[in-house]
Amino acid sequence: MIAVLDRLKQRSALLVAARQAVVVSPGRQWALAISRTLRASQGRTWGWFPALGLVSALGLLLTAMAYTGSRSGASWAELLFWIGLLVVVLPIAVRLISVEASRVERLGLLVWLGLALYIVKVMHSPIAFTFADELIHAGSANVILQSGHLFSDIPMLPAISYYPGLETVTTAFASLTGLTIYGAGAIVLAAARLVLILALFLLYEQVSRSARFAGIAALLYMGNSNFMFWGAQFSYESLALPLGVLVIYAVVRRENGTEGRLRRALTMTALIALSTVVVTHHLTSYALVIFLWAVIAVSRVLRVRTRMWDVGLFALGAVLFWLVSIASITLGYLSPVISRAVTSTLQLIAGEEASRELFRSASGYLAPLWERLTGIGSALIVALALPFSTLQVWRHHRSNPVALVLTAAALAYCGSLLLRFNPAAWEIGNRASEFLFLGVAYVAAIAVVELWMPQRIGWRNRAAFAACAAIVFMGGVIAGWSPSVRLPPPYVVSSGAVSIEPPGVTAARWARAYLGPENRMAADESNARLMLVYGQQYPLTGKKDGVKAMIFSGQIGRGEREILQVTGVRYVILDRRLRSWDTMAGLYFDRAGRDANDDENLMDPETYLKFDQNGSVSRVLDNGAITIYDVGALNRVPSSQ
Amino acid sequence: MSRPANERFIIAVAASSVAAMLMLLVVSNTAIRVLLALPFMLALPGYAITVALFPRRALGIPERTLFSIGLSLAVVALGGLILNWTPWGLQADSWAVLLCATTCLASVMALARRRREVALAAAPAGLGLTGLQSLLLGLAAVVAVAAIGLARMPAPLQSAEGYTLLWMLPSADGNPNAVRLGVDSMELASTQFRLEVKADSRTLREWPSLTLMPGEKWERRIELPAAEYGAGTIDAALYRLDDPRSVYRQVTLRRSESP
């Protein structure tokens, strides 16, 4: 009987389809066919994940086309970039808001989205690391790979060699496989990204007891300004943060009541991961200690029993041990940054210092109006959700210490936005966002799930959520990365079968081959990084030791000679392009006819030719933009060869 | 008596680790080594520790995946500290031994603990993907790989400006009357140059027409009679033949620079 009914149903469906095929247009037929295919693709558990994964992948293709267009100087590239990103994010965001999706489907969508956004970063620099910090870490990894030992002296950012977690994992993969540091690093970071997404979902699920809530919160976390580029770069926090969230998940799950052996297993897991965070990144380990002790403190106040004491004590002890016995240099690295920020804040309050103009880069570039509005809109959406969610947390979740600490983090995030007005503290505010956004995502998800759309939702609400998600996500990207390199300039240029690298990379490779490694060199910020990675030199740059002042001086007087002697520099690299002091844009090729020969983009000739006037300095390399001078005769420093 | 399925799986994990270690030490093909190292380094150690630590059925697939990858990363990062204080340091061989030993040790612990438990593990569930879903996911992966491939394409010629390196260094053999001179063309098309070496405005050597293709290098060791080099300064100037009056690149070597 059932079989007969089924057959009748099928036949009537076929009749309806045939009737539709007669009356509808070919375009409509295509739409119906696609709709039927997509509906058929929904299994019992994975739901829309495979279909939306394909849509998201097409968004990646659009983004790749935008990047390719950007490298060619196409004006349409930026529009296509944003369209591609929205195609990657929005269909998944709309599905995650629905109440029908299964837990597995939500997890699949989130993992895919997290990896897709990582691929967006990889496609930005698909040949080599090009972000400022990446080059220093890559240089550190090169040193480990060659020496077989940790804790070597790394110029420019000495603290990183005492937090070698990321470099250790990367060099292990590189030495086992024969891959380059870039290839090995890209794979390690993909694994770290997978850990981050899974840990975020499971953490929010533990706190909320809802897969829908967890999916939305993890999605909203991806709207933080450091998620897409900063948090995916080859830098220590890209590994430490995922492991830090894993630690939080393990201790929160342990708090939620588990039997003996499981509790011990979670403790062991948390301790192993925590130890790794401590040896990988200073700030993440401090943030973790603050989180654990905040939960302990709130539990005490609420008189809620907590088991976090052991992990909290271990975290505090491990961080202090590492800081005091191994990485004491960190204090000297972090304390000036913090003291400058505090001083600047006080001066700002006293009216003695001008505030920083939002959306204007260090080079003076002001973001277009729509970008400024989107960035502000993104912050406003978060700010709008915060009071209602805080009230909701207080009413319904105030017995949960973790929920209270996450809400406090969200409130702190709003406070950190004020730091963006401070020229000396905006970077602290920006860096803090990846930690504090754990709380922002939580309270924003409360606003969405508990206050706005607790039940089945119509298309209007879905559209409104999609619009909000788009603004938060785009605002994060706008606030998080310099507009001058959001889309990549040309890095490798093809000439027939030959690929040509930027002048700085070629000069660094030449230095390695002809001058030998580990020469002390004075250089601008970009060339110093390239000399570290590709030249295996010991570069000095910036204001430290007067290097920048010496390079920008119009003469070689007594002061300049003193600087050369104190620093023990054997070679000076002069890049006449002022852009080479911009660590973001200085690594790339000059765009034909745009950047290269404009006088305002070049150093004063008196400055960059000053060494030619000196009778004892040799000009050993000239590639147009970059000149390398051998100043050994001025300070009697021998070459490494 | 046959072993339960979960025990066989743990033994297989340890055996895979040993096999991967041996192959990593022997095989030289990078692609194969990457395929071997992915599970060997980023999954098996963490998986074995997870199985050893956690009671059966305590974790779902997402949790197990999270802990397997997370603990694998942690084992490598912390293992590096241990290797750093050994005479072998951080090298491919020492990594292979350390990771294999970790996986095998954790597997033995897992086996020992599991035998004390009575219940048998449930067979691992399949992924539950339909044929069409697998096809869509496969297509999505292909499109994502194609996107990366597209992004890796070098920029076209017209997007950037080419350049050329001219360099000059003292002779590597320490001969004070010899220098090394080189031109590396990074121009975007075949380019003709004229190269001139002078001492005190007197031409010592000249190459009236050097044609270099993009990426092509030209290098010479030049012996200079001591009398000619006496002035202590040698200049080399490079001209492009399509603009023969302007010096394109210039380098100078001063004899007094040698410490």
Side-chain angles (χ1 to χ4, degrees):
Chain A
M1 185 65 186
I2 291 169
V4 173
L5 278 173
D6 277 349
R7 225 172 290 146
L8 279 172
K9 261 187 204 164
Q10 278 174 6
R11 203 172 290 172
S12 69
L14 281 173
L15 279 172
V16 170
R19 217 172 291 145
Q20 282 174 340
V22 172
V23 293
V24 298
S25 64
R28 175 104 176 113
Q29 283 181 40
W30 266 105
L32 285 169
I34 290 170
S35 164
R36 274 197 297 274
T37 309
L38 288 176
R39 241 177 264 138
S41 76
Q42 297 175 54
R44 279 181 198 160
T45 54
W46 293 99
W48 285 85
F49 164 49
L52 294 181
L54 180 57
V55 173
S56 181
L58 291 170
L60 283 180
L61 199 57
L62 293 178
T63 312
M65 289 162 71
Y67 283 165
T68 309
S70 162
R71 292 186 185 107
S72 316
S75 56
W76 44 263
E78 182 149 17
L79 178 64
L80 192 62
F81 169 75
W82 287 115
I83 291 172
L85 275 189
L86 291 180
V87 172
V88 170
V89 175
L90 284 190
I92 291 177
V94 171
R95 180 59 181 163
L96 284 171
I97 194 74
S98 73
V99 291
E100 299 90 9
S102 70
R103 178 176 187 256
V104 172
E105 183 186 349
R106 290 179 199 281
L107 253 172
L109 288 169
L110 279 170
V111 166
W112 182 270
L113 179 58
L115 290 177
L117 292 177
Y118 173 65
I119 289 174
V120 170
K121 187 271 167 190
V122 171
M123 293 193 305
H124 184 285
S125 318
I127 308 284
F129 292 127
T130 56
F131 295 176
D133 285 7
E134 286 187 324
L135 290 168
I136 303 179
H137 283 278
S140 170
N142 271 333
V143 172
I144 295 171
L145 200 58
Q146 277 153 22
S147 69
H149 288 283
L150 305 174
F151 311 124
S152 298
D153 180 15
I154 303 297
M156 293 191 281
L157 197 53
I160 67 163
S161 60
Y162 298 96
Y163 293 92
L166 176 66
E167 286 90 336
T168 305
V169 180
T170 304
T171 51
F173 201 79
S175 57
L176 282 171
T177 58
L179 280 178
T180 59
I181 292 296
Y182 174 79
I187 289 172
V188 168
L189 291 178
R193 174 56 63 91
L194 184 57
V195 168
L196 177 64
I197 301 301
L198 288 172
L200 280 172
F201 179 87
L202 294 169
L203 168 66
Y204 289 126
E205 194 182 41
Q206 275 298 312
V207 179
S208 67
R209 304 286 185 188
S210 157
R212 180 172 175 240
F213 183 102
I216 292 167
L219 169 78
L220 291 170
Y221 181 82
M222 295 182 201
N224 93 62
S225 58
N226 284 333
F227 186 81
M228 203 168 82
F229 287 122
W230 178 268
Q233 67 174 336
F234 185 67
S235 184
Y236 34 23
E237 65 272 19
S238 303
L239 176 62
L241 183 67
L243 292 173
V245 181
L246 188 156
V247 172
I248 297 176
Y249 162 65
V251 293
V252 169
R253 181 162 177 193
R254 202 180 63 144
E255 286 289 288
N256 285 348
T258 47
E259 54 91 13
R261 184 175 163 195
L262 177 56
R263 195 168 64 241
R264 284 193 296 278
L266 287 166
T267 308
M268 279 301 296
T269 305
L271 296 185
I272 294 171
L274 200 154
S275 305
T276 313
V277 173
V278 170
V279 303
T280 302
H281 187 221
H282 38 74
L283 288 181
T284 308
S285 61
Y286 306 156
L288 200 51
V289 169
I290 291 170
F291 178 87
L292 293 171
W293 282 95
V295 174
I296 292 168
V298 172
S299 303
R300 288 278 292 173
V301 171
L302 296 177
R303 296 176 192 282
V304 176
R305 188 167 170 265
T306 178
R307 299 189 188 96
M308 277 198 198
W309 287 98
D310 50 358
V311 180
L313 282 170
F314 180 87
L316 188 61
V319 164
L320 286 175
F321 168 77
W322 196 258
L323 183 65
V324 172
S325 63
I326 307 284
S328 54
I329 197 170
T330 316
L331 291 172
Y333 165 58
L334 291 178
S335 56
V337 179
I338 294 166
S339 64
R340 263 202 311 274
V342 172
T343 311
S344 174
T345 305
L346 293 175
Q347 285 174 340
L348 205 62
I349 292 167
E352 294 168 7
E353 190 177 295
S355 65
R356 174 177 170 267
E357 188 180 352
L358 294 180
F359 303 106
R360 190 181 283 282
S361 69
S363 57
Y365 172 84
L366 181 65
L369 181 65
W370 79 266
E371 284 194 13
R372 283 178 272 160
L373 289 177
T374 309
I376 292 167
S378 165
L380 281 179
I381 287 172
V382 171
L384 189 69
L386 198 58
F388 300 104
S389 308
T390 307
L391 198 62
Q392 179 75 0
V393 170
W394 188 249
R395 278 183 182 156
H396 300 285
H397 307 285
R398 68 167 176 258
S399 61
N400 182 347
V402 175
L404 289 180
V405 171
L406 287 173
T407 308
L411 291 167
Y413 171 78
C414 285
S416 77
L417 289 177
L418 295 176
L419 293 178
R420 290 180 185 259
F421 289 99
N422 184 333
W426 76 270
E427 204 171 349
I428 294 177
N430 187 36
R431 299 271 179 100
S433 73
E434 60 188 342
F435 306 119
L436 299 177
F437 226 82
L438 284 173
V440 174
Y442 174 73
V443 296
I446 283 192
V448 173
V449 176
E450 295 187 14
L451 299 172
W452 184 10
M453 292 179 259
Q455 302 297 326
R456 187 172 287 272
I457 46 179
W459 68 268
R460 281 195 185 86
N461 274 330
R462 281 179 200 244
F465 176 77
C468 288
I471 291 170
V472 169
F473 180 75
M474 290 170 73
V477 176
I478 288 166
W481 209 241
S482 170
S484 60
V485 288
R486 193 179 299 140
L487 271 78
Y491 185 77
V492 170
V493 178
S494 164
S495 176
V498 180
S499 293
I500 294 174
E501 294 177 303
V505 176
T506 313
R509 291 194 196 283
W510 176 86
R512 170 72 188 87
Y514 289 95
L515 303 180
E518 294 182 21
N519 290 292
R520 292 176 79 86
M521 293 182 161
D524 56 83
E525 296 278 2
S526 300
N527 283 297
R529 284 164 169 77
L530 295 175
M531 282 292 166
L532 176 70
V533 178
Y534 299 105
Q536 292 169 24
Q537 305 296 327
Y538 191 96
L540 302 168
T541 188
K543 292 177 182 167
K544 199 181 169 199
D545 302 322
V547 170
K548 188 171 184 179
M550 182 270 293
I551 286 177
F552 275 97
S553 167
Q555 57 168 359
I556 309 173
R558 196 174 156 191
E560 288 73 27
R561 282 169 190 268
E562 260 178 35
I563 290 168
L564 290 172
Q565 277 165 5
V566 168
T567 52
V569 160
R570 169 69 194 242
Y571 297 98
V572 175
I573 297 159
L574 282 188
D575 189 330
R576 62 184 190 145
R577 300 165 303 175
L578 292 172
R579 198 159 53 88
S580 65
W581 288 91
D582 180 342
T583 54
M584 306 295 287
L587 308 170
Y588 295 94
F589 262 103
D590 294 323
R591 285 189 199 274
R594 277 172 56 182
D595 308 323
N597 301 315
D598 195 345
D599 277 350
E600 68 179 29
N601 294 329
L602 298 177
M603 224 182 227
D604 178 9
E606 188 183 319
T607 303
Y608 75 78
L609 295 175
K610 62 178 175 280
F611 284 104
D612 289 326
Q613 316 304 322
N614 189 290
S616 18
V617 174
S618 291
R619 177 183 170 117
V620 294
L621 177 132
D622 175 5
N623 75 8
I626 297 167
T627 313
I628 300 182
Y629 291 97
D630 182 344
V631 297
L634 292 178
N635 55 7
R636 299 284 159 199
V637 173
S639 170
S640 69
Q641 256 194 351
Chain B
M1 198 178 129
S2 66
R3 291 173 190 278
N6 62 333
E7 284 192 12
R8 286 203 301 271
F9 193 68
I10 293 168
I11 293 168
V13 165
S16 307
S17 184
V18 174
M21 179 191 73
L22 294 174
M23 287 182 76
L24 279 168
L25 295 176
V26 174
V27 175
S28 59
N29 183 291
T30 304
I32 296 172
R33 287 162 72 97
V34 170
L35 289 176
L36 289 168
L38 275 171
F40 177 71
M41 195 184 110
L42 296 177
L44 294 183
Y47 179 81
I49 293 172
T50 305
V51 175
L53 285 177
F54 286 89
R56 216 172 13 239
R57 294 192 188 128
L59 302 177
I61 291 175
E63 294 87 345
R64 201 171 288 275
T65 309
L66 168 66
F67 289 150
S68 297
I69 301 172
L71 289 175
S72 294
L73 291 167
V75 161
V76 182
L78 297 174
L81 295 177
I82 297 166
L83 288 181
N84 185 51
W85 284 299
T86 66
W88 309 285
L90 291 78
Q91 292 175 17
D93 297 356
S94 52
W95 276 120
V97 172
L98 177 82
L99 293 173
C100 183
T102 308
T103 305
C104 291
L105 193 67
S107 299
V108 169
M109 284 170 60
L111 280 175
R113 292 191 121 183
R114 298 227 158 189
R115 280 182 185 167
R116 279 186 241 136
E117 294 180 17
V118 181
L120 293 176
L127 280 176
L129 286 165
T130 65
L132 185 57
Q133 285 180 327
S134 304
L135 179 70
L136 288 173
L137 276 179
L139 267 176
V142 169
V143 173
V145 170
I148 296 172
L150 178 63
R152 282 178 62 87
M153 284 172 61
L157 286 179
Q158 64 271 21
S159 61
E161 292 197 343
Y163 58 95
T164 296
L165 279 76
L166 173 65
W167 57 269
M168 185 159 59
L169 288 169
S171 173
D173 59 15
N175 180 351
N177 296 322
V179 297
R180 286 178 294 163
L181 186 63
V183 181
D184 299 0
S185 174
M186 300 293 158
E187 303 294 342
L188 305 176
S190 171
T191 310
Q192 283 190 304
F193 302 99
R194 180 169 73 84
L195 179 60
E196 198 176 56
V197 179
K198 288 183 174 179
D200 288 340
S201 308
R202 199 154 51 89
T203 303
L204 300 178
R205 297 279 190 282
E206 185 178 0
W207 290 266
S209 178
L210 279 177
T211 304
L212 296 180
M213 301 299 289
E216 191 176 351
K217 296 180 179 190
W218 176 94
E219 188 177 336
R220 291 285 183 279
R221 182 178 183 277
I222 308 167
E223 291 278 354
L224 302 163
E228 290 174 348
Y229 193 27
T233 298
I234 300 178
D235 293 304
L238 187 72
Y239 300 81
R240 285 175 66 130
L241 291 191
D242 55 4
D243 183 12
R245 287 167 188 269
S246 313
V247 176
Y248 185 48
R249 301 285 183 258
Q250 189 164 24
V251 289
T252 305
L253 205 57
R254 300 185 204 277
R255 211 174 174 189
S256 58
E257 58 82 30
S258 299

